[in-house]
Amino acid sequence: MFEYCADPKSLEGLVWLSCYLTSGTHLMMYWSVLTVLLLLALAAPSALLFGFGGALMARSPNPVTRTFGKGYISMVRGVPDVVFFLFVPLAVDQGLEYLNHKIRCPDWTEPVRRGVDFVVCPAAKIPQSSSAAFVHDAYSFALALLAFALVFGAFAANTLHGAMSAVPKAQVETAEAYGMNRAQAFRRVILPQMWVFALPGLSNLWMILIKATPLLFLLGIKDIVYWARELGGSKTSVYAYAHPDWRVWYFLGLLVFYLVLTAISEKVFARLQRRLSTGQATASGEALRRAAA
């Protein structure tokens, strides 16, 4: 990055370190930190959306819809997460390419399945081999985001379903006695109060989501754990910046990064819990009333 970094072998001390920490590979590691934060920023609301839909389906009076919602919750929660993280991107990728293959190459006579290989016509590849590198990266990131949303959406659905059931039924019955229909009672009574009961479970789910971000490497995305292992390992003379095994320092930096992230998250959830509990007929709401008195 700096002009004096042209010949790394002639550098020493802090000058060498400044060039080492601003090398191209380190810039890719810093970019991977932003990738992880972007995944968390998008996966959390996406999983909450899937979870809310799953919880509503699990509460549906329609037996087919209810079975589908409960099946989604039970299936994803009952299968190891890594299986879905590997299956969902592969299944979605091959499904999109197969549909694109049928549309773009209707005259293709060779089978798509050839043993263990999945081969479609070149025009059906998503993305195209000639596409820019950032297009391939964005596509891989979108598949990873979908996998995270599906997996953690099932856990969120179970949490939200329990929170909806925790709202006293007497309040719902009172609302219906005043003339509200089922949808109005849900929107005006259950929905405002369920978040107080759901927040502890959702906060735990957020912490698990943070710890699951290193699984990005399984989906073809080079995350910060990958770069910490690669950059921290001992280098040979073929590398411009040779050094001993520094993996312990890189992983120590990751430890601090994740601890700071979880500490900030705990403070945010604590303030959110106090705000949602204000005026609610719950244990935390009663504690706030006593403290204010």
Side-chain angles (χ1 to χ4, degrees):
M1 176 175 288
F2 304 107
E3 293 183 0
Y4 57 78
C5 298
D7 186 11
K9 295 181 179 179
S10 64
L11 304 176
E12 294 182 357
L14 294 178
V15 176
W16 180 91
L17 185 62
S18 65
C19 293
Y20 172 70
L21 294 178
T22 56
S23 63
T25 50
H26 275 84
L27 294 179
M28 294 179 69
M29 179 182 179
Y30 305 147
W31 179 257
S32 69
V33 175
L34 298 179
T35 301
V36 169
L37 296 178
L38 179 62
L39 175 75
L40 291 173
L42 296 178
S46 300
L48 194 61
L49 184 62
F50 275 96
F52 194 74
L56 289 180
M57 286 190 294
R59 288 173 52 91
S60 174
N62 187 297
V64 176
T65 305
R66 185 171 61 251
T67 302
F68 183 81
K70 290 185 176 180
Y72 164 64
I73 296 173
S74 301
M75 180 179 65
V76 178
R77 291 176 64 239
V79 177
D81 296 347
V82 68
V83 175
F84 272 96
F85 285 133
L86 294 175
F87 170 77
V88 171
L90 179 63
V92 173
D93 180 46
Q94 291 189 357
L96 291 176
E97 288 189 348
Y98 181 77
L99 292 176
N100 201 26
H101 173 81
K102 289 296 185 181
I103 295 173
R104 291 178 175 269
C105 306
D107 299 330
W108 186 274
T109 57
E110 299 180 18
V112 173
R113 292 287 181 183
R114 304 176 190 176
V116 296
D117 296 327
F118 181 81
V119 182
V120 295
C121 64
K125 293 294 294 182
I126 302 177
Q128 291 290 304
S129 57
S130 58
S131 300
F134 79 91
V135 176
H136 290 268
D137 293 339
Y139 181 68
S140 299
F141 182 84
L143 292 179
L145 176 62
L146 178 61
F148 272 81
L150 281 174
V151 171
F152 286 94
F155 292 97
N158 190 59
T159 300
L160 294 176
H161 183 266
M164 293 176 186
S165 302
V167 177
K169 292 183 178 180
Q171 296 188 20
V172 179
E173 294 173 352
T174 303
E176 292 176 348
Y178 274 94
M180 294 186 188
N181 56 35
R182 184 184 180 92
Q184 290 174 329
F186 176 82
R187 187 175 64 255
R188 298 180 182 179
V189 178
I190 297 179
L191 191 59
Q193 298 186 72
M194 57 169 274
W195 299 109
V196 180
F197 302 101
L199 195 59
L202 293 178
S203 63
N204 290 336
L205 189 59
W206 168 256
M207 298 301 180
I208 297 174
L209 177 61
I210 292 177
K211 294 192 296 182
T213 52
L215 293 174
L216 279 172
F217 180 58
L218 293 176
L219 306 178
I221 300 175
K222 296 178 179 179
D223 67 323
I224 52 178
V225 177
Y226 166 82
W227 285 114
R229 186 190 64 182
E230 291 296 310
L231 296 175
S234 59
K235 307 299 182 182
T236 63
S237 58
V238 299
Y239 291 93
Y241 297 93
H243 62 73
D245 191 340
W246 288 352
R247 284 177 295 179
V248 63
W249 302 110
Y250 278 88
F251 284 110
L252 181 61
L254 289 185
L255 175 66
V256 173
F257 169 74
Y258 279 108
L259 285 178
V260 170
L261 190 58
T262 53
I264 295 175
S265 300
E266 288 180 351
K267 292 184 179 297
V268 171
F269 276 109
R271 293 187 62 178
L272 190 58
Q273 181 72 33
R274 287 196 299 270
R275 182 171 182 177
L276 291 176
S277 299
T278 303
Q280 297 290 344
T282 60
S284 55
E286 184 64 25
L288 290 175
R289 282 192 293 272
R290 291 177 180 177

PDB file of all heavy atoms in Angstrom, residues 1 36 46 50 57 60 91 98 122 137 161-162 165 169 175 186 195-196 218 222 246 267 279:
ATOM      1  N   MET A   1       0.835  -1.205   0.000  1.00  0.00           N
ATOM      2  CA  MET A   1       0.000   0.000   0.000  1.00  0.00           C
ATOM      3  C   MET A   1       0.868   1.252   0.000  1.00  0.00           C
ATOM      4  O   MET A   1       0.564   2.235  -0.659  1.00  0.00           O
ATOM      5  CB  MET A   1      -0.931   0.003   1.210  1.00  0.00           C
ATOM      6  CG  MET A   1      -1.775   1.268   1.330  1.00  0.00           C
ATOM      7  SD  MET A   1      -2.957   1.208   2.667  1.00  0.00           S
ATOM      8  CE  MET A   1      -4.128   0.034   1.997  1.00  0.00           C
ATOM      9  N   VAL A  36     -18.775 -10.603   7.271  1.00  0.00           N
ATOM     10  CA  VAL A  36     -19.424 -11.243   8.424  1.00  0.00           C
ATOM     11  C   VAL A  36     -20.474 -10.318   9.031  1.00  0.00           C
ATOM     12  O   VAL A  36     -21.600 -10.740   9.357  1.00  0.00           O
ATOM     13  CB  VAL A  36     -18.373 -11.643   9.475  1.00  0.00           C
ATOM     14  CG1 VAL A  36     -19.040 -12.065  10.777  1.00  0.00           C
ATOM     15  CG2 VAL A  36     -17.495 -12.761   8.943  1.00  0.00           C
ATOM     16  N   SER A  46     -33.898 -11.609   8.159  1.00  0.00           N
ATOM     17  CA  SER A  46     -34.405 -12.655   7.264  1.00  0.00           C
ATOM     18  C   SER A  46     -34.878 -13.859   8.063  1.00  0.00           C
ATOM     19  O   SER A  46     -35.949 -14.421   7.799  1.00  0.00           O
ATOM     20  CB  SER A  46     -33.323 -13.076   6.265  1.00  0.00           C
ATOM     21  OG  SER A  46     -32.908 -11.982   5.475  1.00  0.00           O
ATOM     22  N   PHE A  50     -38.665 -15.462   8.340  1.00  0.00           N
ATOM     23  CA  PHE A  50     -38.993 -16.874   8.193  1.00  0.00           C
ATOM     24  C   PHE A  50     -39.635 -17.411   9.476  1.00  0.00           C
ATOM     25  O   PHE A  50     -40.579 -18.207   9.427  1.00  0.00           O
ATOM     26  CB  PHE A  50     -37.731 -17.680   7.865  1.00  0.00           C
ATOM     27  CG  PHE A  50     -37.392 -17.714   6.410  1.00  0.00           C
ATOM     28  CD1 PHE A  50     -36.472 -16.828   5.876  1.00  0.00           C
ATOM     29  CD2 PHE A  50     -37.986 -18.644   5.562  1.00  0.00           C
ATOM     30  CE1 PHE A  50     -36.154 -16.857   4.526  1.00  0.00           C
ATOM     31  CE2 PHE A  50     -37.670 -18.681   4.208  1.00  0.00           C
ATOM     32  CZ  PHE A  50     -36.749 -17.777   3.692  1.00  0.00           C
ATOM     33  N   MET A  57     -47.927 -20.076  10.638  1.00  0.00           N
ATOM     34  CA  MET A  57     -48.427 -21.306  10.028  1.00  0.00           C
ATOM     35  C   MET A  57     -48.655 -22.378  11.089  1.00  0.00           C
ATOM     36  O   MET A  57     -49.628 -23.146  11.004  1.00  0.00           O
ATOM     37  CB  MET A  57     -47.443 -21.801   8.964  1.00  0.00           C
ATOM     38  CG  MET A  57     -47.457 -20.978   7.687  1.00  0.00           C
ATOM     39  SD  MET A  57     -46.500 -21.731   6.347  1.00  0.00           S
ATOM     40  CE  MET A  57     -44.851 -21.642   7.016  1.00  0.00           C
ATOM     41  N   SER A  60     -51.970 -21.800  12.630  1.00  0.00           N
ATOM     42  CA  SER A  60     -53.098 -21.696  11.716  1.00  0.00           C
ATOM     43  C   SER A  60     -54.190 -22.713  12.039  1.00  0.00           C
ATOM     44  O   SER A  60     -53.899 -23.859  12.392  1.00  0.00           O
ATOM     45  CB  SER A  60     -52.613 -21.899  10.283  1.00  0.00           C
ATOM     46  OG  SER A  60     -53.695 -21.933   9.381  1.00  0.00           O
ATOM     47  N   ALA A  91     -28.743 -27.327  -3.333  1.00  0.00           N
ATOM     48  CA  ALA A  91     -30.053 -27.617  -3.913  1.00  0.00           C
ATOM     49  C   ALA A  91     -30.602 -26.411  -4.667  1.00  0.00           C
ATOM     50  O   ALA A  91     -31.141 -26.543  -5.781  1.00  0.00           O
ATOM     51  CB  ALA A  91     -31.020 -28.054  -2.814  1.00  0.00           C
ATOM     52  N   TYR A  98     -31.038 -25.834 -13.323  1.00  0.00           N
ATOM     53  CA  TYR A  98     -31.856 -26.797 -14.063  1.00  0.00           C
ATOM     54  C   TYR A  98     -33.024 -26.088 -14.759  1.00  0.00           C
ATOM     55  O   TYR A  98     -33.321 -26.348 -15.932  1.00  0.00           O
ATOM     56  CB  TYR A  98     -32.377 -27.882 -13.129  1.00  0.00           C
ATOM     57  CG  TYR A  98     -33.209 -28.940 -13.820  1.00  0.00           C
ATOM     58  CD1 TYR A  98     -32.605 -29.941 -14.576  1.00  0.00           C
ATOM     59  CD2 TYR A  98     -34.596 -28.933 -13.723  1.00  0.00           C
ATOM     60  CE1 TYR A  98     -33.365 -30.902 -15.227  1.00  0.00           C
ATOM     61  CE2 TYR A  98     -35.368 -29.887 -14.361  1.00  0.00           C
ATOM     62  CZ  TYR A  98     -34.736 -30.878 -15.114  1.00  0.00           C
ATOM     63  OH  TYR A  98     -35.495 -31.827 -15.763  1.00  0.00           O
ATOM     64  N   PRO A 122     -23.795 -24.427 -21.199  1.00  0.00           N
ATOM     65  CA  PRO A 122     -23.046 -23.242 -20.730  1.00  0.00           C
ATOM     66  C   PRO A 122     -23.913 -22.004 -20.534  1.00  0.00           C
ATOM     67  O   PRO A 122     -23.662 -21.201 -19.628  1.00  0.00           O
ATOM     68  CB  PRO A 122     -22.009 -23.035 -21.839  1.00  0.00           C
ATOM     69  CG  PRO A 122     -21.827 -24.391 -22.452  1.00  0.00           C
ATOM     70  CD  PRO A 122     -23.184 -25.046 -22.379  1.00  0.00           C
ATOM     71  N   ASP A 137     -19.011 -13.829  -6.135  1.00  0.00           N
ATOM     72  CA  ASP A 137     -18.988 -13.668  -4.679  1.00  0.00           C
ATOM     73  C   ASP A 137     -20.371 -13.295  -4.148  1.00  0.00           C
ATOM     74  O   ASP A 137     -20.810 -13.803  -3.109  1.00  0.00           O
ATOM     75  CB  ASP A 137     -17.972 -12.597  -4.284  1.00  0.00           C
ATOM     76  CG  ASP A 137     -16.539 -13.010  -4.586  1.00  0.00           C
ATOM     77  OD1 ASP A 137     -16.297 -14.241  -4.709  1.00  0.00           O
ATOM     78  OD2 ASP A 137     -15.675 -12.122  -4.706  1.00  0.00           O
ATOM     79  N   HIS A 161     -43.470 -18.874  18.353  1.00  0.00           N
ATOM     80  CA  HIS A 161     -44.685 -19.654  18.604  1.00  0.00           C
ATOM     81  C   HIS A 161     -44.931 -19.777  20.106  1.00  0.00           C
ATOM     82  O   HIS A 161     -46.062 -19.630  20.580  1.00  0.00           O
ATOM     83  CB  HIS A 161     -44.559 -21.035  17.963  1.00  0.00           C
ATOM     84  CG  HIS A 161     -45.782 -21.880  18.113  1.00  0.00           C
ATOM     85  ND1 HIS A 161     -45.930 -22.791  19.148  1.00  0.00           N
ATOM     86  CD2 HIS A 161     -46.920 -21.962  17.384  1.00  0.00           C
ATOM     87  CE1 HIS A 161     -47.095 -23.389  19.039  1.00  0.00           C
ATOM     88  NE2 HIS A 161     -47.719 -22.908  17.988  1.00  0.00           N
ATOM     89  N   GLY A 162     -43.862 -20.051  20.852  1.00  0.00           N
ATOM     90  CA  GLY A 162     -44.009 -20.126  22.306  1.00  0.00           C
ATOM     91  C   GLY A 162     -44.371 -18.788  22.915  1.00  0.00           C
ATOM     92  O   GLY A 162     -45.160 -18.726  23.874  1.00  0.00           O
ATOM     93  N   SER A 165     -48.024 -18.070  22.418  1.00  0.00           N
ATOM     94  CA  SER A 165     -48.842 -18.885  23.322  1.00  0.00           C
ATOM     95  C   SER A 165     -48.748 -18.406  24.761  1.00  0.00           C
ATOM     96  O   SER A 165     -49.626 -18.715  25.578  1.00  0.00           O
ATOM     97  CB  SER A 165     -48.398 -20.354  23.235  1.00  0.00           C
ATOM     98  OG  SER A 165     -48.511 -20.843  21.909  1.00  0.00           O
ATOM     99  N   LYS A 169     -54.497 -16.010  27.574  1.00  0.00           N
ATOM    100  CA  LYS A 169     -55.665 -16.208  26.715  1.00  0.00           C
ATOM    101  C   LYS A 169     -56.846 -15.349  27.151  1.00  0.00           C
ATOM    102  O   LYS A 169     -57.699 -15.010  26.336  1.00  0.00           O
ATOM    103  CB  LYS A 169     -56.066 -17.684  26.722  1.00  0.00           C
ATOM    104  CG  LYS A 169     -55.053 -18.601  26.056  1.00  0.00           C
ATOM    105  CD  LYS A 169     -55.544 -20.033  26.030  1.00  0.00           C
ATOM    106  CE  LYS A 169     -54.561 -20.947  25.326  1.00  0.00           C
ATOM    107  NZ  LYS A 169     -55.024 -22.364  25.289  1.00  0.00           N
ATOM    108  N   ALA A 175     -60.682  -9.335  24.286  1.00  0.00           N
ATOM    109  CA  ALA A 175     -60.684  -8.568  23.040  1.00  0.00           C
ATOM    110  C   ALA A 175     -61.772  -9.056  22.101  1.00  0.00           C
ATOM    111  O   ALA A 175     -62.464  -8.250  21.462  1.00  0.00           O
ATOM    112  CB  ALA A 175     -59.311  -8.680  22.368  1.00  0.00           C
ATOM    113  N   PHE A 186     -55.135 -10.559  17.333  1.00  0.00           N
ATOM    114  CA  PHE A 186     -53.709 -10.902  17.187  1.00  0.00           C
ATOM    115  C   PHE A 186     -52.869  -9.638  17.030  1.00  0.00           C
ATOM    116  O   PHE A 186     -51.821  -9.490  17.667  1.00  0.00           O
ATOM    117  CB  PHE A 186     -53.515 -11.814  15.978  1.00  0.00           C
ATOM    118  CG  PHE A 186     -52.079 -12.134  15.695  1.00  0.00           C
ATOM    119  CD1 PHE A 186     -51.414 -13.129  16.392  1.00  0.00           C
ATOM    120  CD2 PHE A 186     -51.389 -11.424  14.709  1.00  0.00           C
ATOM    121  CE1 PHE A 186     -50.083 -13.403  16.128  1.00  0.00           C
ATOM    122  CE2 PHE A 186     -50.062 -11.703  14.444  1.00  0.00           C
ATOM    123  CZ  PHE A 186     -49.406 -12.693  15.158  1.00  0.00           C
ATOM    124  N   TRP A 195     -43.392  -9.964  22.162  1.00  0.00           N
ATOM    125  CA  TRP A 195     -41.965  -9.690  22.066  1.00  0.00           C
ATOM    126  C   TRP A 195     -41.281  -9.741  23.421  1.00  0.00           C
ATOM    127  O   TRP A 195     -40.088 -10.060  23.504  1.00  0.00           O
ATOM    128  CB  TRP A 195     -41.740  -8.335  21.400  1.00  0.00           C
ATOM    129  CG  TRP A 195     -42.291  -8.284  20.016  1.00  0.00           C
ATOM    130  CD1 TRP A 195     -43.382  -7.587  19.583  1.00  0.00           C
ATOM    131  CD2 TRP A 195     -41.790  -8.982  18.866  1.00  0.00           C
ATOM    132  NE1 TRP A 195     -43.602  -7.799  18.245  1.00  0.00           N
ATOM    133  CE2 TRP A 195     -42.637  -8.653  17.774  1.00  0.00           C
ATOM    134  CE3 TRP A 195     -40.723  -9.849  18.644  1.00  0.00           C
ATOM    135  CZ2 TRP A 195     -42.439  -9.159  16.497  1.00  0.00           C
ATOM    136  CZ3 TRP A 195     -40.524 -10.352  17.370  1.00  0.00           C
ATOM    137  CH2 TRP A 195     -41.364 -10.017  16.322  1.00  0.00           C
ATOM    138  N   VAL A 196     -42.021  -9.416  24.475  1.00  0.00           N
ATOM    139  CA  VAL A 196     -41.433  -9.498  25.819  1.00  0.00           C
ATOM    140  C   VAL A 196     -41.058 -10.932  26.148  1.00  0.00           C
ATOM    141  O   VAL A 196     -39.995 -11.198  26.726  1.00  0.00           O
ATOM    142  CB  VAL A 196     -42.425  -8.947  26.861  1.00  0.00           C
ATOM    143  CG1 VAL A 196     -41.828  -9.019  28.261  1.00  0.00           C
ATOM    144  CG2 VAL A 196     -42.813  -7.522  26.520  1.00  0.00           C
ATOM    145  N   LEU A 218     -17.542 -23.115   4.765  1.00  0.00           N
ATOM    146  CA  LEU A 218     -18.099 -24.331   4.176  1.00  0.00           C
ATOM    147  C   LEU A 218     -18.916 -24.029   2.929  1.00  0.00           C
ATOM    148  O   LEU A 218     -19.112 -24.903   2.084  1.00  0.00           O
ATOM    149  CB  LEU A 218     -18.979 -25.054   5.205  1.00  0.00           C
ATOM    150  CG  LEU A 218     -18.275 -25.650   6.425  1.00  0.00           C
ATOM    151  CD1 LEU A 218     -19.303 -26.243   7.368  1.00  0.00           C
ATOM    152  CD2 LEU A 218     -17.253 -26.692   6.010  1.00  0.00           C
ATOM    153  N   LYS A 222     -14.624 -17.053   1.960  1.00  0.00           N
ATOM    154  CA  LYS A 222     -13.438 -16.960   2.819  1.00  0.00           C
ATOM    155  C   LYS A 222     -13.703 -15.951   3.920  1.00  0.00           C
ATOM    156  O   LYS A 222     -13.670 -14.745   3.698  1.00  0.00           O
ATOM    157  CB  LYS A 222     -12.215 -16.564   1.989  1.00  0.00           C
ATOM    158  CG  LYS A 222     -11.827 -17.612   0.942  1.00  0.00           C
ATOM    159  CD  LYS A 222     -10.640 -17.162   0.115  1.00  0.00           C
ATOM    160  CE  LYS A 222     -10.262 -18.218  -0.906  1.00  0.00           C
ATOM    161  NZ  LYS A 222      -9.120 -17.806  -1.749  1.00  0.00           N
ATOM    162  N   TRP A 246       2.217 -17.458  13.698  1.00  0.00           N
ATOM    163  CA  TRP A 246       1.546 -16.436  14.500  1.00  0.00           C
ATOM    164  C   TRP A 246       0.051 -16.703  14.636  1.00  0.00           C
ATOM    165  O   TRP A 246      -0.719 -15.799  14.956  1.00  0.00           O
ATOM    166  CB  TRP A 246       1.738 -15.057  13.852  1.00  0.00           C
ATOM    167  CG  TRP A 246       3.122 -14.520  13.985  1.00  0.00           C
ATOM    168  CD1 TRP A 246       4.149 -15.037  14.724  1.00  0.00           C
ATOM    169  CD2 TRP A 246       3.636 -13.336  13.357  1.00  0.00           C
ATOM    170  NE1 TRP A 246       5.273 -14.276  14.597  1.00  0.00           N
ATOM    171  CE2 TRP A 246       4.997 -13.220  13.769  1.00  0.00           C
ATOM    172  CE3 TRP A 246       3.102 -12.387  12.494  1.00  0.00           C
ATOM    173  CZ2 TRP A 246       5.804 -12.178  13.344  1.00  0.00           C
ATOM    174  CZ3 TRP A 246       3.906 -11.339  12.065  1.00  0.00           C
ATOM    175  CH2 TRP A 246       5.245 -11.236  12.478  1.00  0.00           C
ATOM    176  N   LYS A 267     -25.690  -5.638  25.719  1.00  0.00           N
ATOM    177  CA  LYS A 267     -26.147  -4.323  26.177  1.00  0.00           C
ATOM    178  C   LYS A 267     -27.373  -3.863  25.386  1.00  0.00           C
ATOM    179  O   LYS A 267     -28.317  -3.302  25.942  1.00  0.00           O
ATOM    180  CB  LYS A 267     -25.010  -3.309  26.054  1.00  0.00           C
ATOM    181  CG  LYS A 267     -23.855  -3.556  27.027  1.00  0.00           C
ATOM    182  CD  LYS A 267     -22.810  -2.466  26.921  1.00  0.00           C
ATOM    183  CE  LYS A 267     -21.688  -2.690  27.904  1.00  0.00           C
ATOM    184  NZ  LYS A 267     -22.159  -2.634  29.317  1.00  0.00           N
ATOM    185  N   GLY A 279     -44.579  -1.205  31.433  1.00  0.00           N
ATOM    186  CA  GLY A 279     -46.033  -1.233  31.376  1.00  0.00           C
ATOM    187  C   GLY A 279     -46.636  -2.588  31.115  1.00  0.00           C
ATOM    188  O   GLY A 279     -47.867  -2.705  31.031  1.00  0.00           O
TER     189      GLY A 279
END
